[in-house]
Amino acid sequence: MQGRRSSLAASRRWLGSVGPERAHLRADMLAGLPGAISSVPDGMAAAVLAGVNPVQGLYAGFAGPAVGGLAASTRLMVITTTSAAALAAGSALQSVPAGKRPEAVPLLVIMVGAVLVAAGLARLGRYTRFVSYSVMIGFLTGISVNIVCGQISDLTGAPAQGGFPLAKAVDVLSHPATIDLASLLTGLGALAILVLLARTRLAVFSALVALAIPTAVVVLAGLDSVGRVGDQGDIPGGIPIPHLPDFRFMSFSLVTGAFAIAAIVLVQGAGVAEAAPNPGNAPADPNQDIIAQGAGNLAAGFFRGIAVGGSVGQTALNVSVGARTRWAAIWSGIWMLVILALFSGLVAKIALPTLAAILIFAAIGSMRPGEITTILRTGRNSQVAVISTFAATLFLPVAAAVGIGVALSLLLQLNQEAMDLTVVELVPLDDGRFEERPPPAVLTSQHVTVLDVYGSLLYAGARTLQAHLPDTGTAQAPVVVLRLRRRTSLGATFIKVVSDYAGHLASAGGRLYLSGLEPSLTERLTRSGQVDGPIRTFEATSIIGESTRAAYLDAEAWLVKGHDR
């Protein structure tokens, strides 16, 4: 009974925290409408990119913002369709026959939602910072180029052959006779409208205008050669109802695709949270945002929609039109439901080249040539990262490109930590302080050398330390004090390096001291059983340098007494 009361109390608190605020209700209702209207062409275009029924993009545009908005910690974040997630979904569905993809996509999207919810509950949000910026820019640039290349066929009305978007674009451009003039003019007309309205007050509605006017011309002129959305499959009318996914479509490529989409959504969502901080600087919880995006995908999947995630463009629009609370995004989803109820019958008439134009315009606009130029000037590591990820995204399935990007980020992180390591000598002064100097190449006989290390000592960092430690040479009874203050973990590689170095010192009649150790590390070193040779440890105290001075004085006394201790 007590447990039920606690649950009810927690539910009331949650409802109170997410409920609409009367003072901002009208502003949020009005702010949600432009978002819903602009999501109509964007959602359909994203569905075309994923290779499924365009109306499934509208289903996602209803379910994602409505459900995700309730759970998001970043209150103004809009969780809806994104081009990157749609392209990744299309890549994951490649093994499914084209006619069956609309039926398979709900299972894929629900798996994406499950992965994201699990990631949020496991508090994996902090790991997004390990994704290299160079890798992210290379991947997003590759996605943009893929979108442009993949839409050349729909823009021109020409059939395309090829195993990846770039090959399909080359096939169309190398066979100009296959281009349908009416389709090309329709697509170029839509592009012209997008460009002309981009810097006007109608920019918010530019995609809808670019979709409506050329489509009206195509219908009125009877241009039957121009592809229509209805050609992609039956367009259901009215409000969608939830459906259970068909588990017969479960496959390895669908599972790996779900993880790839989740990784893309996770990284993009982190960027949206940074770009749209909460009003009043209220802190946002990145893990809660991941759970919110997972919930949005679960809802989109059950309503047969495509994958959703934190959208940079829609969130920026939400802020610019005066959103006050999370309910602006929720109202965007509600307005989309109204649009579906009233106008879903018109979706089948929309000209496909207009959707291709919207995708191409958005993809070109998302490219960042200035940032790419800066990365290429930064250094060899950054150049390798951005070029490798860009190439992988162009020529490989998205799941493979994401895997390569994540692996490359980790390798670059480890390499940077290993290379960014400095060893200095601390020379004791008469007043009790230490002076930093470059370390000696060779140790001195009957002398205590105190060394401090800046940088990571994990993995390759320990091997880099090994290369920087002074050589014993011909020294007799050399002593080294290695300062390790604030180290929270020491791996097996470090233990091996320390053990070997202690052995070299012992062979010359010397000794190794480790100072500034946390108590847990002292215990771990003892339990490892691999710390051989004469090693003495001094644990850190609250006084900086105290344990190192104690180790130094102990070493001096040991040398004075002729090494008999």
Side-chain angles (χ1 to χ4, degrees):
M1 190 68 178
Q2 186 65 33
R4 175 181 286 184
R5 288 176 180 171
S6 299
S7 298
L8 288 173
S11 299
R12 290 193 190 100
R13 285 195 299 271
W14 179 77
L15 288 172
S17 67
V18 301
E21 299 177 26
R22 183 174 298 178
H24 301 307
L25 183 58
R26 185 173 182 275
D28 286 336
M29 284 182 65
L30 294 176
L33 185 57
I37 293 173
S38 65
S39 290
V40 171
D42 290 346
M44 287 192 292
V48 168
L49 194 59
V52 299
N53 195 316
V55 78
Q56 291 179 278
L58 302 183
Y59 294 164
F62 138 68
V67 175
L70 282 172
S73 173
T74 303
R75 299 171 197 164
L76 301 184
M77 176 189 285
V78 179
I79 298 171
T80 187
T81 57
T82 70
S83 297
L87 186 66
S91 177
L93 292 166
Q94 285 299 309
S95 61
V96 180
K100 296 290 185 180
R101 289 173 191 170
E103 301 172 43
V105 76
L107 177 61
L108 173 66
V109 175
I110 286 173
M111 286 194 293
V112 172
V115 171
L116 286 169
V117 170
L121 292 174
R123 308 193 67 79
L124 300 183
R126 64 183 182 274
Y127 293 109
T128 56
R129 66 179 183 269
F130 288 104
V131 178
S132 162
Y133 182 69
S134 301
V135 166
M136 184 177 69
I137 292 297
F139 177 72
L140 293 178
T141 303
I143 288 286
S144 297
V145 173
N146 275 344
I147 291 171
V148 173
C149 292
Q151 295 307 303
I152 295 295
S153 175
D154 283 345
L155 186 78
T156 60
Q161 302 293 326
F164 48 91
L166 181 59
K168 292 179 180 179
V170 171
D171 181 65
V172 171
L173 297 176
S174 60
H175 298 87
T178 63
I179 294 174
D180 178 68
L181 182 59
S183 297
L184 178 61
L185 291 176
T186 301
L188 292 178
L191 277 174
I193 291 171
L194 290 166
V195 172
L196 290 173
L197 296 183
R199 297 183 180 277
T200 69
R201 294 180 180 179
L202 295 176
V204 172
F205 307 106
S206 61
L208 188 64
V209 175
L211 180 149
I213 293 178
T215 294
V217 172
V218 167
V219 172
L220 293 175
L223 301 176
D224 296 331
S225 64
V226 179
R228 315 286 176 88
V229 166
D231 300 336
Q232 306 292 105
D234 294 333
I235 306 297
I239 296 174
I241 58 175
H243 280 70
L244 291 175
D246 191 340
F247 288 95
R248 291 176 297 178
F249 291 106
M250 181 69 73
S251 66
F252 179 75
S253 61
L254 220 61
V255 173
T256 57
F259 276 94
I261 297 169
I264 292 168
V265 169
L266 195 149
V267 174
Q268 281 193 319
V272 173
E274 290 180 5
N278 285 328
N281 294 320
D285 182 353
N287 295 299
Q288 184 60 40
D289 285 339
I290 294 172
I291 293 173
Q293 291 173 95
N297 276 284
L298 290 173
F302 280 115
F303 281 97
R304 295 174 294 162
I306 63 174
V308 296
S311 169
V312 176
Q314 286 295 322
T315 301
L317 173 61
N318 195 37
V319 173
S320 68
V321 295
R324 295 291 185 269
T325 72
R326 68 177 70 250
W327 274 85
I330 297 169
W331 273 107
S332 173
I334 296 171
W335 284 120
M336 177 61 77
L337 199 61
V338 173
I339 292 170
L340 276 167
L342 298 177
F343 303 110
S344 58
L346 299 176
V347 172
K349 301 181 184 297
I350 294 170
L352 279 176
T354 62
L355 296 179
I358 290 168
L359 284 168
I360 290 172
F361 182 78
I364 293 174
S366 66
M367 293 182 185
R368 308 173 185 178
E371 294 183 28
I372 295 173
T373 302
T374 301
I375 290 171
L376 292 175
R377 291 174 178 171
T378 301
R380 182 63 58 84
N381 282 353
S382 298
Q383 293 169 357
V384 169
V386 72
I387 292 172
S388 299
T389 314
F390 176 73
T393 308
L394 282 187
F395 299 109
L396 296 175
V398 173
V402 169
I404 289 172
V406 171
L408 191 58
S409 290
L410 293 175
L411 289 174
L412 289 172
Q413 174 75 14
L414 293 174
N415 179 67
Q416 184 62 34
E417 288 185 354
M419 298 301 294
D420 190 19
L421 184 142
T422 304
V423 177
V424 297
E425 181 182 7
L426 300 180
V427 180
L429 302 176
D430 294 337
D431 60 3
R433 294 180 298 169
F434 290 93
E435 178 186 353
E436 278 192 3
R437 295 181 186 175
V442 180
L443 296 173
T444 304
S445 296
Q446 302 283 329
H447 177 73
V448 181
T449 303
V450 181
L451 301 176
D452 199 0
V453 184
Y454 297 101
S456 172
L457 292 176
L458 295 176
Y459 306 114
R463 294 298 183 189
T464 304
L465 171 66
Q466 185 178 35
H468 284 71
L469 290 172
D471 189 50
T472 55
T474 59
Q476 297 296 313
V479 180
V480 172
V481 177
L482 187 60
R483 185 172 183 265
L484 300 172
R485 186 176 180 84
R486 289 301 180 189
R487 303 287 173 175
T488 57
S489 60
L490 298 172
T493 305
F494 174 81
I495 293 175
K496 173 64 175 171
V497 168
V498 165
S499 176
D500 289 346
Y501 194 58
H504 292 315
L505 291 173
S507 297
R511 175 185 277 187
L512 176 64
Y513 286 76
L514 302 179
S515 71
L517 287 173
E518 296 293 324
S520 59
L521 293 185
T522 304
E523 181 184 355
R524 194 177 307 169
L525 287 169
T526 303
R527 282 191 289 108
S528 70
Q530 298 183 32
V531 181
D532 302 319
I535 298 179
R536 297 204 63 181
T537 59
F538 281 74
E539 292 184 354
T541 69
S542 59
I543 307 300
I544 296 175
E546 186 174 53
S547 66
T548 300
R549 177 160 290 279
Y552 175 79
L553 294 175
D554 187 274
E556 285 278 323
W558 179 70
L559 288 175
V560 169
K561 292 186 178 181
H563 326 159
D564 57 354
R565 288 193 295 145

